[in-house]
């Protein structure tokens, strides 16, 4: 069986478990228990693998908790960021889950102990609250303790039965892939709410490649509205670890999604000292402002959300917004996220940001912000994508690529709205589509009906309109008609009609004269 077949089989198994175990509980509400159990298994096996260090004579899960010395625990937390005693390992808890009348309270105590193990260590911020959404007392699991324990045991047993193979044989990728598969399926089935925390992998891949293009090394990568971390992790998947020197940074306003992002980092084997995910409102409580600027920024911020804007007069003096001289409209915060990203971008880097198309042609404050971006030569490329690529919306969005190291006054426009493959309920960017877009982005050459590089003066004359359709002429898909050929065909047809009329008139005349017998 090929690796692709193995992955497909594993994904089918895990989705079946997720649906079978939840019963009548809504999948969106139940996702925390399946995702949390998968994460619990991963960190347990990851930790055992670290302690055993490849020594086949050591079986950490079989040890007594009492043999663990404070020195062992201290060293492990400094390295891994957390500690798990043998009795707390997923393997040992799942093994006896069906017979444990205290399963829900035992799990709660174990999760609390794992989080508390990092207290006072550099990893405390990255570990604290990781299991906050895995509420073992939730009525979603059942009304009685017995019902809760029964469902918890079923989840643990189901996840325990997944065959990930030997831990060191790419098991980390399988765990990460399984986790992202679950998240994407929950997002796809959750409607609008799903798209708020997960960017489909095919779009994430394009965004990551745009931000990382031709950078052999970047100091770090940042997503100011990171959701579950899918955009950041695409950068890891497509570039060697050493290229991203100082790790992965993000901020997320939703607490549950913030926890998913941190779990996602661990599940893709990014150690606690190589990522920093912050909780909070990026526009009003930005983190990482004291960091060095980022060489790569990727983002799919929420479209046209409300923010305080001009109701807070101090914001116009904020270093992120002041240079533009105007704030994004209160009912449309899109450009606030764009200006935030620009202010965090280094002189050598790129930011690739998914944007609502309306911000590229509307007037008022948004036009003034576009003028600031164009006058200062920050806009490298605007790409229009096909509709229905994201979960929960059919909007045909754009990708805005910002750069602070352009060598000319041209802005590129790419019409990729026709590049997609129809698949189930959503459209899909194939690998070939992504390559085609990247080739145009790299060359900056004009391609009929697809790409055009426009001089600054032409954009200024056009009121700083950055809509792709204003510069890239759409292909005329109407049928081309050869007028000369059509006229010739009409002439022949008319002649045939005239001849038929003559023939009919002759027959009628003959009938009327009695020359034809009835």
């Amino acid at each position: 069986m090929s690796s692709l077949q193995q992955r497909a089989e594993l994904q089918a198994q895990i989705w079946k478990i997720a649906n079978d175990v939840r019963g009548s509980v809504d999948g969106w509400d139940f996702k925390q228990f399946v995702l949390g159990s998968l994460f619990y298994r991963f960190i347990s096996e990851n930790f055992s693998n670290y302690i055993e260090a490849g020594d086949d004579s050591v079986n950490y899960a079989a040890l007594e908790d009492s043999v663990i010395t404070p020195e062992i625990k201290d060293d492990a937390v400094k390295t891994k960021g957390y500690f798990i005693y043998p009795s707390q390992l997923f393997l040992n808890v799942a093994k006896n889950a069906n017979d444990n009348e205290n399963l829900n309270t035992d799990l709660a105590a174990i999760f609390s102990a794992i989080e508390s193990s990092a207290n006072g260590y550099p990893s405390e911020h990255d570990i604290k609250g990781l299991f906050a959404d895995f509420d073992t007392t939730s009525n979603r699991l059942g009304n009685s303790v017995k019902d809760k324990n029964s469902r918890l045991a079923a989840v643990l047993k189901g996840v325990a039965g997944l065959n990930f193979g030997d831990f060191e044989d790419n098991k980390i990728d399988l765990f990460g892939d399984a986790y992202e598969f679950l998240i994407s399926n929950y997002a796809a089935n959750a409607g609008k709410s799903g798209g708020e925390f997960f960017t489909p992998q095919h779009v994430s891949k394009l965004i990551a490649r745009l931000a990382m293009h031709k950078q052999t090394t970047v100091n770090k990568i940042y997503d100011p509205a990171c959701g579950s971390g899918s955009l950041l992790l695409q950068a890891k998947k497509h570039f060697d670890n050493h290229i991203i020197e100082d790790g992965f940074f993000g901020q997320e306003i939703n607490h549950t999604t913030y926890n998913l992002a941190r779990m996602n980092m661990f599940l893709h084997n990014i150690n606690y000292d190589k990522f920093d995910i912050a909780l909070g409102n990026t526009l009003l409580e930005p983190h990482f402002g004291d960091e060095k600027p980022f060489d790569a920024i990727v983002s799919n911020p929420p479209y046209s959300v409300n923010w305080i804007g001009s109701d807070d007069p101090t914001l116009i003096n904020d270093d992120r917004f002041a240079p533009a001289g105007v704030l994004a409209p209160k009912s449309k915060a899109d450009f606030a996220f764009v200006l935030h990203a620009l202010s965090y971008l280094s002189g050598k880097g790129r930011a690739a940001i998914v944007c609502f198309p309306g911000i590229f042609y509307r007037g008022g404050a948004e036009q003034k912000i576009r003028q600031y971006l164009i006058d200062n030569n920050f806009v490298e490329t605007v790409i229009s994508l096909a509709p229905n690529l994201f979960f929960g919306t059919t909007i045909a969005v754009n990708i805005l690529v910002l750069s602070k190291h352009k060598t000319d006054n041209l802005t590129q426009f790419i019409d990729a709205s026709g590049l997609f493959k129809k698949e189930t309920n959503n459209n899909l960017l194939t690998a070939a589509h992504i390559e085609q877009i990247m080739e145009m982005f790299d060359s900056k050459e004009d391609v009929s009906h697809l790409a055009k590089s426009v001089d600054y003066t032409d954009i200024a004359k056009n009121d700083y309109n950055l809509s792709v359709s204003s510069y890239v002429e759409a292909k005329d898909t109407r049928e081309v008609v050869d007028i000369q050929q059509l006229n010739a065909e009409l002439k022949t047809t008319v002649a045939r009609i005239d001849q038929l009329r003559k023939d009919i008139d002759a027959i009628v005349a003959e009938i009327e004269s009695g020359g034809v017998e009835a």
Side-chain angles (χ1 to χ4, degrees):
M1 185 183 294
S2 70
S3 59
L4 287 175
Q5 289 173 319
Q6 286 179 327
R7 182 172 280 109
E9 184 177 295
L10 177 65
Q11 290 175 346
Q13 287 176 351
I14 199 168
W15 190 239
K16 186 176 187 302
I17 291 166
N19 283 311
D20 288 349
V21 173
R22 71 180 175 88
S24 61
V25 184
D26 181 79
W28 184 250
D29 292 334
F30 196 66
K31 69 182 185 300
Q32 307 303 336
F33 304 108
V34 179
L35 293 169
S37 296
L38 187 68
F39 177 69
Y40 176 32
R41 176 178 166 180
F42 169 80
I43 63 169
S44 292
E45 295 184 18
N46 187 305
F47 190 81
S48 295
N49 188 63
Y50 162 73
I51 294 292
E52 292 167 3
D55 187 343
D56 293 337
S57 66
V58 179
N59 181 1
Y60 185 65
L63 297 178
E64 296 291 331
D65 291 356
S66 58
V67 305
I68 306 301
T69 65
E71 291 77 17
I72 292 174
K73 183 176 180 180
D74 179 69
D75 180 71
V77 177
K78 286 178 179 176
T79 303
K80 298 300 295 180
Y82 60 92
F83 189 85
I84 305 177
Y85 281 99
S87 66
Q88 299 171 335
L89 292 171
F90 174 91
L91 174 68
N92 288 329
V93 175
K95 181 170 56 179
N96 302 313
N98 287 335
D99 302 318
N100 185 353
E101 296 180 354
N102 301 311
L103 180 62
N104 67 326
T105 54
D106 284 353
L107 278 174
I110 289 170
F111 296 157
S112 176
I114 293 172
E115 291 181 11
S116 299
S117 69
N119 289 350
Y121 288 87
S123 59
E124 180 176 355
H125 162 72
D126 301 301
I127 304 297
K128 187 176 182 180
L130 268 176
F131 290 98
D133 295 297
F134 197 134
D135 182 5
T136 61
T137 64
S138 172
N139 287 332
R140 293 170 181 166
L141 292 167
N143 293 321
S144 66
V145 171
K146 183 178 179 180
D147 289 342
K148 290 178 174 65
N149 286 340
S150 176
R151 185 157 278 165
L152 283 170
V155 175
L156 294 177
K157 288 291 188 181
V159 171
L162 293 171
N163 181 18
F164 288 103
D166 293 330
F167 188 86
E168 293 180 344
D169 294 339
N170 296 316
K171 189 173 184 180
I172 291 163
D173 287 335
L174 285 176
F175 264 111
D177 283 348
Y179 191 78
E180 285 200 44
F181 168 79
L182 274 171
I183 290 178
S184 66
N185 272 269
Y186 283 126
N189 286 276
K192 185 176 179 181
S193 58
E196 293 174 1
F197 77 100
F198 187 80
T199 303
Q201 286 194 12
H202 53 100
V203 186
S204 297
K205 181 179 179 180
L206 172 62
I207 295 168
R209 289 188 61 180
L210 288 166
M212 302 280 285
H213 184 62
K214 285 191 172 178
Q215 296 199 72
T216 55
T217 180
V218 299
N219 58 358
K220 50 200 172 180
I221 188 165
Y222 169 62
D223 185 345
C226 68
S228 60
S230 55
L231 272 173
L232 291 172
L233 289 166
Q234 280 300 321
K236 180 183 186 296
K237 283 188 175 184
H238 298 287
F239 303 91
D240 294 333
N241 287 339
H242 72 275
I243 290 181
I244 302 173
E245 296 171 343
D246 299 324
F248 304 79
F249 294 73
Q251 185 164 347
E252 172 56 36
I253 193 170
N254 180 283
H255 193 277
T256 296
T257 314
Y258 158 72
N259 284 336
L260 289 176
R262 292 190 295 161
M263 288 184 182
N264 218 353
M265 294 293 141
F266 280 110
L267 281 159
H268 285 83
N269 205 34
I270 300 175
N271 209 39
Y272 76 90
D273 57 347
K274 284 296 184 181
F275 75 84
D276 193 344
I277 307 296
L279 176 66
N281 187 319
T282 298
L283 299 181
L284 304 182
E285 304 162 1
H287 289 250
F288 314 122
D290 296 331
E291 293 273 344
K292 291 180 181 178
F294 295 85
D295 290 343
I297 296 177
V298 292
S299 190
N300 179 15
Y303 310 142
S304 301
V305 294
N306 295 326
W307 76 307
I308 193 169
S310 58
D311 284 349
D312 182 353
T314 65
L315 282 174
I316 195 61
N317 299 316
D318 190 300
D319 290 343
R320 298 169 296 164
F321 311 126
V326 65
L327 295 172
K330 290 188 292 183
S331 61
K332 303 175 182 67
D334 308 72
F335 265 129
F337 284 102
V338 169
L339 292 174
H340 170 89
L342 180 67
S343 70
Y344 276 45
L345 186 62
S346 73
K348 63 166 277 193
R350 281 192 180 90
I353 308 165
V354 179
C355 297
F356 183 80
I359 72 170
F360 293 104
Y361 57 79
R362 291 190 295 239
E366 291 178 318
Q367 182 188 32
K368 293 178 181 177
I369 294 172
R370 292 197 304 271
Q371 180 174 351
Y372 162 71
L373 295 174
I374 292 296
D375 284 351
N376 288 276
N377 206 25
F378 291 137
V379 181
E380 181 173 0
T381 302
V382 181
I383 305 170
S384 63
L385 296 179
N388 208 27
L389 290 173
F390 294 81
F391 300 123
T393 180
T394 59
I395 296 171
V397 300
N398 291 0
I399 297 177
L400 174 64
V401 182
L402 300 175
S403 170
K404 292 182 177 178
H405 59 271
K406 288 173 63 181
T407 57
D408 56 40
N409 260 336
L410 300 175
T411 297
Q412 184 189 38
F413 296 89
I414 297 177
D415 183 357
S417 60
L419 303 181
F420 67 92
K421 176 185 178 184
K422 181 69 177 174
E423 191 166 280
T424 60
N425 295 326
N426 283 83
N427 292 329
L428 176 74
L429 283 175
T430 66
H433 294 145
I434 293 172
E435 288 302 326
Q436 187 175 353
I437 294 170
M438 289 306 303
E439 286 175 11
M440 290 187 286
F441 176 74
D442 178 58
S443 72
K444 296 295 189 291
E445 293 179 0
D446 290 353
V447 181
S448 295
H449 312 300
L450 288 174
K452 188 174 181 63
S453 292
V454 181
D455 187 76
Y456 160 79
T457 55
D458 292 331
I459 296 175
K461 288 177 184 176
N462 197 20
D463 295 327
Y464 296 93
N465 187 324
L466 296 180
S467 177
V468 173
S469 61
S470 295
Y471 303 99
V472 180
E473 183 182 0
K475 189 174 184 179
D476 190 346
T477 57
R478 293 175 299 179
E479 183 180 355
V480 178
V481 177
D482 187 328
I483 298 298
Q484 290 183 337
Q485 182 181 349
L486 180 61
N487 286 335
E489 290 174 354
L490 284 172
K491 188 175 180 180
T492 302
T493 302
V494 169
R496 289 182 62 192
I497 292 173
D498 289 343
Q499 184 60 49
L500 284 170
R501 283 174 177 166
K502 289 178 182 179
D503 293 344
I504 292 171
D505 288 345
I507 294 171
V508 170
E510 193 171 351
I511 291 173
E512 290 176 345
S513 65
V516 176
E517 294 181 0

